[in-house]
Amino acid sequence: MTAKSALVLCMDVGFSMSNSAPGEEPPFELAKKVIQKFVQRQVFAETKDEMALVLFGTDSTKNPLEQDGQYQNITVHRNLMIPDFELLEEIANQIHPESQQADWLDALVVCMDLLKKQTEGKKYDRLVIVLLTDLCTQASPDELDIIIDNLKTAGITLQFFLPFPAGDDEEGGGDGDRGGSGHPGAGKGLSREQEQGLDMVKHVMLSLDEEDGLDEIYSFRNALEQLCMFKRIERRPTAWPCQLTIGSSLSIRIVGYKAVMDERLKKTWITVDAQTNKRDDVKRETVYCLDDDNETEVQKEDIIQGFRYGSDIVPFSKVDQDQMKYKHDGKCFAVLGFTKQSNIHRHQFIGNQVIKVFAPKDDEHAGVALSALIRALDELNMVAIVRYAYDRRCNPQVGAAFPCIKQHYECLMYIQLPFMEDLSHFTFPSLENKKFVPTEAQLSAVDSLIDSMMLVEKDESGEQKDMLKVHHIPNPAFQRHFQCLHHRAVNPGTPLPPMEPWLKAALERPEVISERCQAPLEEVKRKFPLTAVEKKKQLKTSAQIFGKDTGEPDAKKAKGDEEEEDYNLADIAEGSVTSVGSVDPARDFRTLVKLKSLPFGEVCQQLTHRIEQLLSNKNTHYYMKSITCIQAFREQSVKLGKADLYNSYLQSLKRSIPNRGLEVFWDLLVQDAVTLISKDEVEGSTVSKNEANQFLITDEKKEEVAAPTTEDTGDVDDLLDMM
Amino acid sequence: MAEWNAYYRNEDDEEEQEEGEQSGEYKVTGRDSLVFLVDASKEMFIKEEDGKPSNFDMTMQVVRSVYTSKITSSYRDLVALVFYGTEQSKNPRNSFKHVYVYHDLDEPGAKRVQEVDELRGSKGAQLAAKTMGSGETSLGDALWCCANLYSDIKLRLSHKRLMIFTCRDDPHEGDSVKDRQGRTKASDLRDTGVIINLMHLMKPGGFDVSLYFRDIITPPEDESDLGLQLEPCAKLEDLQNRVRAKEKKKRVLNRLNLCLGEGINVAVGVYSTAVPARKPPPIKLYRETNEPVRSKTRVFHTQTGSLLLPSELKKAQVYGKKQIVMETDEVDSIKKFEDPGMFLIGFKPMEKLKLHHHVRPAVFLYPEEDDVKGSSCLFSALLKRCSERNMFALCRFTARRNYSPRFVALVPQEEESDEGKGQITPAGFNVIYLPFADDIRTLDAPQLPCASQEQVDKMKQIVTKLRFKYRSDAFENPAIQQHFRNLEALALDMVAPEDIEDLIMPKVDQIDTRLGPLVQEFKDLVYPANYNPETKPAAKRKTADNGGGAEKKPKVELPEDELRAHVQNSTLGKLTVPVLKDACKKFGVRTTGTKKQELIDALIAQLSS
């Protein structure tokens, strides 16, 4: 079982706590907020830590020690248990300022008693009492030393939260002006009781911990600032004991811990019925069916497992898979060899964790051996390449163990490296292209931008100061998540709140930087013209985005993929065809005519241009292709009722046949009976049906007639000009 | 039925999304396709004197490795293998002479791998001579035939590539008509978006690209002569690398703006260069026919049995014993911080980038001149200066819609080329993801003695003996390799899968011989005589526990009155199982179970009577 802590919140609700100067929040409210925030964090962190709540200064008395008028006005509100929303609601609704006063030392004793009794027989690694009070009540110091002794033997840590800062030279808080007004709890100045109380608090704290005792005294305001963020996710590091091996006979006992890990939220959303909010009302059922027209259902028992091997699907049962799969000897941390650190590229790190490897804490020989390795690697600037397997069930990895020498400890840091299968080698055009090479002026603009935006600077004492340590910022996703959950839990029925201002600010440029970089940014803007390129394609991508926007799950898309991939004329029409190409001119022509993005005449001209190109290759393949083009030309012309362009093209084509030696082609055209468009087909045509028929049949005769007229037909360009 | 489909919901919505974030899935808009157009003329079969494989043999090896790598990494890509300059002809309509379509465009499968295998080695050469022979060459016909392969495909192709493998720089030997046809067809193909690459092989006297092929191939992206300067491939490894570099299309994960400040947006593309390859997921099949089945999930009301529309569902999480309910769109809106993009925060010196600040694989950034004109210039200026001044840029990065931001370090990477043979690393920024406070765990480092210089020096000797040059592509993933060998064996009805070599297994024997006496010398320096690091830590602890074992497991005996008090206040739950068990023993309570609640129930039954 993991260790946990037990904590007693002990809050003063006595009458002085609700006194405040005009315009100031009474200490009671502040203390309540501190408690609320604190409990919230605990609730959402879902630690095993237990919490009790003791109030003092209450009108009534309820505690196990009350006897003979002792320990009066102290109420144990809640026994030690894991905090939950019930506690939060109680704090919100049941804790009010009351009208009595009680000795805070008495309350402390009640808390100690509670801790002692309720933690008996269970293991806690920390016992804490948190006292929130304004110290306005006279406390009797008679038994102070006994109390301190008891605290020490029980191993209880004390924390004080006061309306004012404790130190004489307190820097923060702002409400620490010592004055002589003597008005208790007025916010400015302390009363005699408070002075005395504070002295006692300091005495207690320093007795418990000589050095840092006073660090555990907080002011309400300070605490609130620190508590505003939700607890960062803390995971207890689990030890991974293993042996580092080099060859068969050299091994060193080690223990690995995850040191850095891409942390995720533990909980996932469950689906509930919108009306009843109950999970059990919603049932999910998965059925399997064949991919036929009837979607024939298949029973679960009749389903086996298979895998894809390229285009093949190979049935491969789980049992067989387990039997045949790659097996290994389990847990290992074996050195394959050593290599220069420079051979390892940072951007090739893979996986989502870093493991720190130490020697076991009770084994100094292993410590020395590992230390020798760490130092050797460090001095040689090398790393160990190791085979790492967490256990038998996990597949082994290859990774690098880097030496890491810190002031207080030494360790190896293991990071996974890629397998050959994981890498993709892309080549990119060089940026040393004349078009992109920046000028000196441009480079100096960038230089001054960098200068103005340096986040690490030396301060007056010559020490480097990092203005933004991002690894000290809590993950904003978690903060926002808990903020919204908390809001919904406490204020059901209201819309979600905006993001917390501090969180927003934490993600921005530090203010100093944003001020400093204004001018250099303007300069960069002047020196580097940037123009967004309008794209037709944008339409498509935004459609994709919108598709996603509707909350459609990705997997659904993947399934619909197959249909989507089917050849679709509409898709082509969407933008890919802009002119009649040479691969399938007939198809392009049809698409363009349908699209009407270009005038019909122009599309025809493009088509005839292609036909002429095709005909210049005297080859049957090209002839066939030309004929399909002419057929498409005819078909579309008839459809649109525009016969002229087609007819005149075909006539001029015919005239040019003898000159260009295209008789073979003409024969093919005759075979396919591709002739002129007659009046019968298109009203506007000037060709009668008979003429159309004659056009092909009277071929030879016409040829004779056509021969003398070659002079106006020979040139391809002339043909095209007619369009 | 239609209705039924409409209610289809995916079970693992959330999970998949998370996955997506991790591995950066690509938007699938079509299939990639690759045609190998291989010269089958006699020249290709000439064997080198020194026993090196012939050009043809080398090509087949490369084709095979591409087939298998497609099967493992992207089985949906289409691949074809076409020979030209053959005696025999075989193509869909048999309209082209001297063109032999060995494999038309399709997903590669086990059978195809086998068929390519058959063409390898001297037997392969014989088989090729028998089935195809060598004959006339018409590159125009060959390219046209390939064009038909593309146009016969009824799927949307996202990327079309054609690789010509040849050792003849003047394929038509001066026939200008054929030359022209080839050029025309090549330009037709390029017009339809097919990228034509030349994998030219060794030819006595050198391969002159400018003689003919310059007009055939697709000019390189940056219009420099990069593609043409290349020497012909003499080594299999070179050819493999060259093919591998071209074979995969650079797929951009997403395009977005790197914002330096108000109105200064550099368009960049995000590429992933190292993503853990995984075993593909299994497919569910119908036992009788082995055909894949589709799964459909529906959500209905337990009581009424009616189907539930998404609008009739909400999402919930339980914290502190309270169920907190939100609308589905609220759940999405919580995740949203800002639109996708990168925002420059500032700059830091490189030494501020900690080695151990690693949470996920890096991605690569390259400017997208086509989206914002001028991007390349500013990008290049930033890259240059960061690189020269040894700086990285700190940015806030939102990769996709409804993704929360992460801080990233843009680490400059300069272009490296391998003496005219090709690019090793491209110029651009590597994007290193940085951890948040939540990602860093607090560890108690043990306090242990450090090694003496003598001990360190001995270890240095060991380290030096075992030096090697690490290359990131040197290790195959044994688990994935085995999986595919198994599938291969099943698919091809082989008796047993081919053995794999586990490359990440330490070569213990070699290490031992290399180190020789060094190991013992080191052990003598650091370990006392009776020390054995091999003993299981657990066993060790046991001996240690002999002395202080009692302290560790305190026997908590509970006085009777206290127990009764617990029964009365019904606070028995606070006690631990061993204590409860002890109590049961003490009061002669017989329990069948060992569960806590069972123990408590038994105790209550005994003591409250």
Side-chain angles (χ1 to χ4, degrees):
Chain A
M1 217 170 81
T2 51
K4 56 191 173 184
S5 52
L7 182 139
V8 186
L9 292 171
C10 182
M11 179 177 165
D12 189 349
V13 295
F15 78 88
S16 64
M17 286 287 282
S18 34
N19 294 341
S20 68
E24 268 183 33
E25 258 185 301
F28 173 83
E29 290 302 329
L30 289 173
K32 188 165 159 176
K33 273 190 193 160
V34 170
I35 290 193
Q36 275 174 321
K37 288 275 183 196
F38 188 76
V39 176
Q40 274 163 27
R41 278 164 52 110
Q42 290 292 325
V43 167
F44 283 109
E46 297 212 298
T47 56
K48 290 266 159 63
D49 298 346
E50 292 177 18
M51 221 181 254
L53 180 60
V54 174
L55 305 175
F56 63 104
T58 50
D59 297 346
S60 59
T61 301
K62 194 184 146 224
N63 68 67
L65 300 181
E66 58 169 304
Q67 232 173 17
D68 315 326
Q70 280 205 305
Y71 299 103
Q72 288 302 294
N73 305 107
I74 299 172
T75 304
V76 176
H77 189 88
R78 186 176 160 115
N79 283 322
L80 207 55
M81 40 205 293
I82 293 173
D84 51 20
F85 269 97
E86 203 180 305
L87 177 59
L88 274 176
E89 273 158 28
E90 282 172 20
I91 294 171
N93 303 322
Q94 295 175 18
I95 299 185
H96 309 290
E98 306 202 25
S99 49
Q100 298 298 317
Q101 289 286 72
D103 185 338
W104 59 269
L105 273 177
D106 281 354
L108 182 60
V109 174
V110 171
C111 293
M112 288 161 66
D113 172 68
L114 182 148
L115 266 187
K116 183 172 186 295
K117 283 184 183 149
Q118 295 187 13
T119 57
E120 211 155 40
K122 289 197 276 183
K123 221 179 120 189
Y124 294 88
D125 66 346
R126 240 178 128 217
L127 302 176
V128 185
I129 296 173
V130 179
L131 259 159
L132 302 101
T133 176
D134 57 1
L135 297 174
C136 272
T137 330
Q138 180 83 49
S140 60
D142 314 343
E143 294 178 30
L144 198 56
D145 291 335
I146 304 172
I147 293 173
I148 289 170
D149 278 348
N150 278 330
L151 283 170
K152 272 187 185 163
T153 41
I156 295 174
T157 316
L158 265 191
Q159 288 181 346
F160 278 93
F161 289 82
L162 307 175
F164 43 83
D168 300 320
D169 50 349
E170 183 74 36
E171 69 285 5
D175 48 356
D177 287 352
R178 295 270 179 124
S181 88
H183 193 62
K188 300 262 183 217
L190 299 182
S191 68
R192 208 156 42 90
E193 288 82 4
Q194 282 176 315
E195 298 268 12
Q196 277 176 1
L198 190 59
D199 286 342
M200 262 152 60
V201 168
K202 284 184 183 168
H203 174 67
V204 174
M205 296 310 272
L206 289 172
S207 318
L208 288 176
D209 183 345
E210 279 175 28
E211 274 174 35
D212 306 320
L214 296 184
D215 292 354
E216 297 287 334
I217 307 175
Y218 308 92
S219 79
F220 290 159
R221 285 200 189 282
N222 253 328
L224 275 176
E225 271 165 33
Q226 285 177 25
L227 288 170
C228 71
M229 59 177 76
F230 286 91
K231 241 182 145 147
R232 73 186 177 102
I233 292 190
E234 274 184 64
R235 300 272 157 91
R236 271 175 197 287
T238 9
W240 180 77
C242 191
Q243 275 151 33
L244 182 152
T245 57
I246 303 172
S248 66
S249 52
L250 180 53
S251 49
I252 303 171
R253 285 179 55 206
I254 52 165
V255 183
Y257 294 95
K258 282 180 186 169
V260 180
M261 166 91 191
D262 190 2
E263 215 57 73
R264 314 232 153 196
L265 288 168
K266 276 184 272 182
K267 282 195 177 161
T268 51
W269 293 93
I270 53 172
T271 307
V272 297
D273 181 67
Q275 308 229 292
T276 59
N277 282 351
K278 277 191 192 148
R279 180 188 202 168
D280 294 345
D281 283 345
V282 178
K283 206 174 164 199
R284 221 179 253 287
E285 192 186 61
T286 306
V287 289
Y288 302 95
C289 59
L290 298 181
D291 207 4
D292 55 13
D293 292 342
N294 298 327
E295 302 202 299
T296 319
E297 220 173 278
V298 175
Q299 293 309 304
K300 227 177 173 162
E301 307 84 77
D302 291 328
I303 288 173
I304 52 170
Q305 169 186 278
F307 284 95
R308 218 169 246 291
Y309 184 78
S311 54
D312 310 312
I313 294 176
V314 183
F316 194 9
S317 74
K318 271 210 175 76
V319 184
D320 288 345
Q321 197 197 340
D322 274 351
Q323 217 155 52
M324 291 172 73
K325 78 168 182 208
Y326 171 80
K327 291 186 195 75
H328 60 98
D329 299 333
K331 208 182 240 196
C332 100
F333 199 81
V335 172
L336 303 183
F338 301 95
T339 195
K340 280 243 167 291
Q341 269 189 42
S342 56
N343 287 334
I344 311 286
H345 300 294
R346 159 108 215 200
H347 62 270
Q348 287 185 336
F349 287 179
I350 220 161
N352 53 6
Q353 63 179 23
V354 177
I355 298 170
K356 283 193 175 171
V357 174
F358 302 95
K361 62 169 178 285
D362 55 350
D363 189 340
E364 56 182 73
H365 308 304
V368 172
L370 191 65
S371 165
L373 176 60
I374 293 166
R375 284 168 182 249
L377 290 176
D378 187 60
E379 285 173 28
L380 292 167
N381 236 335
M382 293 181 84
V383 297
I385 299 295
V386 296
R387 171 196 178 92
Y388 163 85
Y390 181 77
D391 68 8
R392 193 181 285 278
R393 290 162 304 170
C394 298
N395 289 326
Q397 311 171 347
V398 65
F402 292 85
C404 165
I405 299 177
K406 289 272 154 97
Q407 203 178 350
H408 300 292
Y409 66 90
E410 297 173 353
C411 68
L412 288 174
M413 283 196 307
Y414 169 83
I415 300 172
Q416 192 187 350
L417 293 173
F419 284 115
M420 187 265 277
E421 292 92 333
D422 307 336
L423 294 168
S424 3
H425 293 283
F426 295 143
T427 47
F428 289 84
S430 172
L431 286 175
E432 295 293 319
N433 189 315
K434 293 175 254 24
K435 284 190 290 186
F436 308 138
V437 171
T439 63
E440 277 310 312
Q442 285 176 320
L443 284 175
S444 77
V446 167
D447 264 337
S448 41
L449 180 72
I450 295 179
D451 290 336
S452 74
M453 292 184 82
M454 278 311 293
L455 291 163
V456 181
E457 281 185 331
K458 285 203 174 109
D459 60 7
E460 303 90 48
S461 55
E463 248 177 88
Q464 274 209 342
K465 235 190 107 201
D466 194 336
M467 269 182 248
L468 188 67
K469 289 187 171 167
V470 292
H471 60 281
H472 289 170
I473 298 175
N475 190 334
F478 303 167
Q479 295 293 321
R480 174 77 178 141
H481 179 83
F482 290 130
Q483 183 209 357
C484 290
L485 278 175
H486 175 251
H487 175 90
R488 180 53 48 87
V490 180
N491 316 296
T494 58
L496 296 177
M499 206 163 313
E500 300 248 27
W502 71 263
L503 185 59
K504 263 197 156 143
L507 299 173
E508 291 299 331
R509 261 176 210 159
E511 229 158 275
V512 207
I513 298 283
S514 22
E515 273 166 32
R516 241 179 13 201
C517 71
Q518 280 318 315
L521 270 177
E522 284 305 316
E523 184 62 19
V524 166
K525 203 171 180 176
R526 269 195 298 279
K527 289 270 158 59
F528 291 90
L530 292 164
T531 35
V533 180
E534 287 296 327
K535 271 197 177 171
K536 278 183 221 153
K537 264 192 177 169
Q538 215 73 44
L539 196 120
K540 211 169 173 186
T541 40
S542 61
Q544 279 164 352
I545 291 164
F546 288 144
K548 217 167 188 180
D549 215 17
T550 57
E552 197 181 5
D554 275 354
K556 183 172 182 178
K557 282 216 173 133
K559 296 218 169 135
D561 214 342
E562 210 65 59
E563 293 106 55
E564 222 178 293
E565 277 185 29
D566 280 340
Y567 170 74
N568 186 341
L569 193 73
D571 280 337
I572 292 170
E574 234 173 64
S576 49
V577 179
T578 52
S579 66
V580 177
S582 59
V583 173
D584 195 345
R587 187 188 69 184
D588 293 351
F589 174 71
R590 287 195 183 96
T591 312
L592 285 169
V593 170
K594 200 177 150 203
L595 263 180
K596 295 197 181 76
S597 57
L598 293 172
F600 182 64
E602 195 181 328
V603 184
C604 293
Q605 191 173 347
Q606 287 186 6
L607 180 74
T608 51
H609 189 77
R610 286 292 171 206
I611 295 172
E612 293 304 320
Q613 277 184 341
L614 288 167
L615 290 178
S616 65
N617 286 296
K618 295 206 172 62
N619 180 309
T620 323
H621 289 304
Y622 292 96
Y623 289 165
M624 294 311 292
K625 206 164 171 180
S626 305
I627 288 175
T628 56
C629 290
I630 295 172
Q631 281 168 333
F633 194 0
R634 189 173 200 284
E635 160 203 309
Q636 294 299 317
S637 299
V638 172
K639 225 179 186 172
L640 293 174
K642 293 178 182 167
D644 292 356
L645 290 174
Y646 170 81
N647 281 350
S648 57
Y649 173 69
L650 204 64
Q651 282 163 340
S652 63
L653 177 66
K654 187 178 171 184
R655 284 195 292 272
S656 72
I657 294 295
N659 271 13
R660 296 157 76 191
L662 287 171
E663 286 80 6
V664 184
F665 164 71
W666 187 256
D667 286 345
L668 288 170
L669 202 66
V670 172
Q671 271 173 33
D672 285 352
V674 184
T675 182
L676 298 173
I677 300 172
S678 69
K679 262 184 195 140
D680 293 22
E681 291 167 286
V682 172
E683 240 174 78
S685 170
T686 52
V687 180
S688 73
K689 186 153 190 201
N690 202 23
E691 275 175 306
N693 291 337
Q694 291 288 314
F695 185 69
L696 296 171
I697 297 170
T698 56
D699 188 14
E700 272 175 354
K701 273 190 218 162
K702 282 239 164 166
E703 204 179 16
E704 289 168 13
V705 187
T709 60
T710 42
E711 66 265 20
D712 56 302
T713 55
D715 202 328
V716 177
D717 287 331
D718 285 349
L719 279 172
L720 296 171
D721 287 344
M722 292 168 56
M723 290 293 166
Chain B
M1 265 317 179
E3 241 183 9
W4 224 74
N5 262 331
Y7 293 130
Y8 165 83
R9 306 268 306 149
N10 192 286
E11 242 174 318
D12 310 310
D13 274 4
E14 275 94 6
E15 234 172 84
E16 291 216 351
Q17 219 173 330
E18 299 250 303
E19 290 281 298
E21 190 173 357
Q22 273 249 294
S23 58
E25 263 166 48
Y26 299 106
K27 261 184 236 147
V28 183
T29 50
R31 310 255 195 120
D32 281 3
S33 60
L34 171 62
V35 173
F36 293 108
L37 182 56
V38 181
D39 185 357
S41 65
K42 290 202 174 64
E43 289 88 333
M44 288 287 288
F45 290 94
I46 295 171
K47 264 202 196 150
E48 300 278 323
E49 283 157 16
D50 47 2
K52 275 202 290 186
S54 69
N55 281 329
F56 185 84
D57 199 9
M58 215 158 79
T59 308
M60 286 308 110
Q61 286 199 46
V62 170
V63 171
R64 186 196 198 270
S65 80
V66 171
Y67 270 28
T68 47
S69 90
K70 288 275 181 199
I71 285 173
T72 39
S73 63
S74 40
Y75 69 87
R76 288 164 68 81
D77 291 358
L78 307 176
V79 190
L81 176 58
V82 179
F83 296 101
Y84 71 98
T86 55
E87 182 58 46
Q88 305 299 318
S89 313
K90 179 176 168 249
N91 43 66
R93 288 174 273 287
N94 272 326
S95 41
F96 304 102
K97 291 223 170 76
H98 309 296
V99 180
Y100 197 101
V101 178
Y102 198 72
H103 289 147
D104 59 4
L105 261 182
D106 204 347
E107 295 167 358
K111 196 154 163 281
R112 289 191 164 197
V113 176
Q114 259 182 340
E115 286 164 357
V116 173
D117 274 339
E118 285 165 7
L119 291 177
R120 287 167 56 189
S122 52
K123 270 192 187 161
Q126 282 168 19
L127 181 74
K130 211 174 91 192
T131 52
M132 302 183 291
S134 299
E136 262 180 68
T137 301
S138 165
L139 203 60
D141 279 352
L143 290 170
W144 193 347
C145 179
C146 294
N148 285 349
L149 292 182
Y150 283 116
S151 55
D152 285 348
I153 291 295
K154 289 279 159 69
L155 296 162
R156 194 190 299 164
L157 298 176
S158 55
H159 182 66
K160 294 183 267 191
R161 191 176 283 277
L162 185 132
M163 289 184 188
I164 303 175
F165 292 78
T166 185
C167 59
R168 296 184 297 161
D169 48 9
D170 183 19
H172 306 119
E173 288 156 352
D175 183 336
S176 63
V177 176
K178 277 185 174 175
D179 273 0
R180 198 181 64 213
Q181 278 179 9
R183 269 186 223 117
T184 314
K185 264 301 135 193
S187 107
D188 287 355
L189 271 172
R190 292 197 304 264
D191 283 351
T192 57
V194 177
I195 296 165
I196 303 176
N197 294 132
L198 177 65
M199 296 296 152
H200 48 314
L201 306 158
M202 276 317 259
K203 165 187 180 257
F207 194 109
D208 186 358
V209 178
S210 62
L211 211 52
Y212 181 64
F213 278 98
R214 187 213 291 276
D215 301 336
I216 298 296
I217 61 173
T218 309
E221 288 167 83
D222 58 351
E223 292 161 36
S224 73
D225 286 338
L226 193 71
L228 301 179
Q229 293 167 344
L230 289 175
E231 296 289 309
C233 287
K235 277 190 297 189
L236 177 69
E237 201 181 298
D238 287 350
L239 185 62
Q240 224 145 11
N241 285 342
R242 208 175 283 183
V243 170
R244 197 182 292 157
K246 296 270 182 203
E247 166 236 316
K248 265 194 199 160
K249 194 199 171 199
K250 293 191 291 263
R251 285 194 118 149
V252 65
L253 278 176
N254 44 9
R255 291 193 177 83
L256 34 84
N257 282 336
L258 166 61
C259 177
L260 307 190
E262 187 70 33
I264 312 175
N265 291 316
V266 178
V268 289
V270 182
Y271 300 83
S272 66
T273 47
V275 183
R278 283 177 220 192
K279 252 185 250 175
I283 304 167
K284 292 196 166 60
L285 306 175
Y286 180 42
R287 187 191 292 279
E288 303 291 320
T289 57
N290 283 346
E291 64 183 303
V293 296
R294 285 199 301 160
S295 71
K296 295 194 284 195
T297 308
R298 57 177 182 164
V299 181
F300 57 89
H301 198 276
T302 319
Q303 254 94 61
T304 64
S306 61
L307 289 172
L308 291 169
L309 291 163
S311 61
E312 292 172 303
L313 297 170
K314 285 187 183 174
K315 298 280 175 188
Q317 291 201 350
V318 179
Y319 274 98
K321 297 190 207 151
K322 190 179 179 100
Q323 176 171 287
I324 305 165
V325 181
M326 289 202 197
E327 303 286 346
T328 318
D329 57 338
E330 284 178 326
V331 172
D332 286 337
S333 74
I334 292 175
K335 291 184 200 145
K336 166 145 190 173
F337 279 71
E338 58 188 343
D339 287 329
M342 240 179 219
F343 181 78
L344 178 66
I345 304 280
F347 296 88
K348 288 190 188 185
M350 274 308 286
E351 71 261 19
K352 286 284 162 188
L353 182 62
K354 296 283 180 283
L355 191 69
H356 62 279
H357 282 177
H358 164 71
V359 282
R360 50 177 85 162
V363 289
F364 182 73
L365 220 55
Y366 188 82
E368 292 281 336
E369 190 71 14
D370 293 346
D371 288 350
V372 174
K373 233 178 139 228
S375 293
S376 296
C377 183
L378 181 45
F379 186 94
S380 158
L382 271 173
L383 185 70
K384 218 177 171 137
R385 278 308 187 233
C386 282
S387 178
E388 282 166 9
R389 298 177 60 174
N390 207 21
M391 302 265 180
F392 70 86
L394 181 73
C395 291
R396 186 178 71 231
F397 178 32
T398 301
R400 283 163 189 236
R401 288 169 62 82
N402 294 346
Y403 276 20
S404 59
R406 274 255 168 207
F407 285 108
V408 291
L410 303 193
V411 178
Q413 172 174 291
E414 282 183 281
E415 184 176 4
E416 259 181 80
S417 291
D418 181 4
E419 313 113 35
K421 285 204 174 165
Q423 197 173 44
I424 303 174
T425 54
F429 283 106
N430 284 307
V431 181
I432 310 283
Y433 285 91
L434 300 174
F436 282 117
D438 304 79
D439 303 323
I440 295 175
R441 302 182 179 198
T442 8
L443 302 178
D444 289 331
Q447 298 300 312
L448 289 163
C450 296
S452 68
Q453 195 54 47
E454 190 191 3
Q455 292 161 330
V456 173
D457 287 342
K458 188 53 81 182
M459 183 49 96
K460 272 177 159 171
Q461 289 178 15
I462 293 180
V463 169
T464 318
K465 282 271 187 221
L466 300 178
R467 279 170 71 138
F468 77 109
K469 189 166 182 341
Y470 169 83
R471 285 165 42 115
S472 54
D473 56 359
F475 302 104
E476 288 183 337
N477 186 338
I480 289 186
Q481 290 299 329
Q482 182 70 61
H483 178 75
F484 279 106
R485 296 296 162 86
N486 291 345
L487 289 181
E488 189 182 56
L490 289 168
L492 301 177
D493 287 323
M494 285 154 62
V495 190
E498 227 179 295
D499 284 331
I500 61 151
E501 192 191 348
D502 188 346
L503 295 168
I504 57 164
M505 205 60 177
K507 296 187 174 62
V508 174
D509 294 338
Q510 279 185 39
I511 292 178
D512 287 350
T513 21
R514 278 223 204 166
L515 293 181
L518 278 174
V519 171
Q520 198 49 51
E521 287 165 27
F522 177 75
K523 286 209 278 196
D524 291 344
L525 279 175
V526 295
Y527 292 153
N530 58 351
Y531 179 84
N532 182 7
E534 306 285 346
T535 42
K536 284 251 149 98
K540 190 119 187 133
R541 196 170 290 157
K542 224 175 232 165
T543 46
D545 278 355
N546 281 346
E551 196 185 9
K552 264 205 157 169
K553 266 193 187 170
K555 261 214 161 163
V556 192
E557 289 241 347
L558 208 57
E560 192 176 334
D561 52 337
E562 218 169 286
L563 190 72
R564 284 189 189 280
H566 274 303
V567 173
Q568 256 163 27
N569 303 332
S570 51
T571 47
L572 273 179
K574 283 188 172 291
L575 302 177
T576 60
V577 173
V579 174
L580 289 170
K581 271 192 180 161
D582 269 2
C584 285
K585 245 188 228 157
K586 202 161 152 190
F587 293 100
V589 181
R590 287 183 159 235
T591 51
T592 44
T594 48
K595 287 230 176 80
K596 192 168 183 179
Q597 197 53 47
E598 289 168 342
L599 296 170
I600 292 173
D601 291 346
L603 274 173
I604 291 173
Q606 174 84 12
L607 294 177
S608 53
S609 56

